[in-house]
Amino acid sequence: MSLRKLPEIKASRLPSVSAFQPDPDALGRWNGALEARDNADATISILDVIGDDGWGDGGVTAKRISAALRAIGAEDVTVDLNSPGGDFFEGVAIYNALRAHPHRVTVRVLGVAASAASIIAMAGDEVQIGKTGFLMVHCAWTVTIGNRHDLLEAAKVIEPFDAAMAGLYAERSGAGEAKASEWMDNETWFNGEQAVAVGLADSLLPADAITEDKAKAQSESGVHATRRLDALLAKTGMPRSERRALLADAKGGMSGAAPTVTQDADEIAALLKGLRSTLST
């Protein structure tokens, strides 16, 4: 399938804008411990947030994917994908790197491919998805600080991205761009069967192709809770530096230190519940 290249737009073009964040709902549905049961040699794993979010191992960057493609060389590539999304610019760059690979690219959605990760999924010549997996598409969002002119300029810059994404989803699925834009406007979640039915994926993965690393799930529970809380704070318009300071104060720790133990996860889960209650009132 010959898919278009997405436009390269740098974050510096946006006035006082933060990097695009993972969607809080996507983080809530994401099980970061899902992985492929078996991997071929020419396999690239994208099993984290997109972009360097400063938590955990830092997320998946275009630089890392480009290096992996160079190491694989002139071979077909399998991309194992399980991500709640993240930095939109990194997602676009990863998509373009995969589309530029001269050999066949097969994307396997093991769990969730949401937001920026759904763009990466579209880079596959073939897209497979677990029956219990999910694809989520929505409009790009960001946090912009400034006057009305800054806000209008940010909207103008983001608009071509939404149009390009709608074009990708429409081209793969066979739906019109108006329908794809409707999916994005409504932040639509497709389970595995629905993704195949609408044409965003080609086939279902066998259930035994996916496994869960329970030890990884337990060890990363604190990081996962922190990311969800960070994403919710980002949606309030709070700058990244203030979010990190607030999380550090709430935990009584260092702003650069991600929680890694169950006790931290329980504390942050309580903070998360309180924030959700505050935002809903």
Side-chain angles (χ1 to χ4, degrees):
M1 178 178 292
S2 178
L3 294 174
R4 69 192 72 180
K5 181 179 179 180
L6 283 176
E8 299 279 6
I9 298 180
K10 302 298 183 182
S12 59
R13 282 194 56 193
L14 291 170
S16 304
V17 69
S18 72
F20 293 101
Q21 299 289 324
D23 183 87
D25 187 32
L27 282 165
R29 298 192 190 202
W30 177 54
N31 179 356
L34 294 181
E35 56 188 35
R37 188 176 297 277
D38 297 303
N39 285 326
D41 291 338
T43 297
I44 297 174
S45 296
I46 301 178
L47 309 177
D48 206 337
V49 299
I50 307 304
D52 186 353
D53 71 345
W55 304 114
D57 294 329
V60 180
T61 64
K63 182 178 180 180
R64 177 192 138 190
I65 300 306
S66 295
L69 288 169
R70 288 194 299 270
I72 290 171
E75 295 185 44
D76 294 347
V77 172
T78 297
V79 178
D80 287 338
L81 180 60
N82 179 33
S83 172
D87 189 320
F88 187 84
F89 301 109
E90 288 286 345
V92 168
I94 292 171
Y95 167 91
N96 285 333
L98 292 172
R99 288 309 308 157
H101 186 65
H103 292 266
R104 185 175 179 81
V105 175
T106 299
V107 174
R108 303 194 299 181
V109 180
L110 307 179
V112 168
S115 189
S118 72
I119 298 168
I120 295 171
M122 297 298 101
D125 296 294
E126 180 182 3
V127 180
Q128 303 170 357
I129 186 170
K131 187 174 182 178
T132 57
F134 286 95
L135 270 168
M136 185 273 273
V137 301
H138 67 170
C139 296
W141 70 272
T142 186
V143 177
T144 301
I145 300 172
N147 59 35
R148 61 187 175 87
H149 302 293
D150 296 324
L151 299 177
L152 287 170
E153 179 61 23
K156 289 178 182 177
V157 172
I158 292 174
E159 187 175 355
F161 274 97
D162 286 344
M165 283 192 295
L168 286 182
Y169 300 137
E171 188 173 348
R172 175 168 289 279
S173 67
E177 292 194 17
K179 184 63 176 180
S181 294
E182 181 183 323
W183 293 339
M184 292 165 57
D185 288 341
N186 294 330
E187 189 171 297
T188 305
W189 287 83
F190 300 94
N191 64 27
E193 291 182 334
Q194 290 168 335
V196 172
V198 301
L200 290 174
D202 299 299
S203 61
L204 293 175
L205 278 169
D208 60 1
I210 305 168
T211 187
E212 180 180 9
D213 186 341
K214 294 188 182 298
K216 179 181 178 181
Q218 183 174 3
S219 68
E220 295 186 354
S221 59
V223 173
H224 185 59
T226 302
R227 280 172 165 157
R228 291 182 63 197
L229 184 53
D230 188 37
L232 280 169
L233 290 171
K235 276 209 162 182
T236 70
M238 184 180 293
R240 176 170 173 157
S241 59
E242 291 184 24
R243 300 197 309 269
R244 298 305 163 96
L246 179 61
L247 287 168
D249 289 344
K251 290 185 71 282
M254 299 294 290
S255 61
T260 57
V261 297
T262 304
Q263 180 179 358
D264 287 333
D266 292 341
E267 292 173 356
I268 294 175
L271 290 170
L272 184 63
K273 183 178 180 181
L275 180 60
R276 281 191 178 278
S277 176
T278 299
L279 292 176
S280 64
T281 58

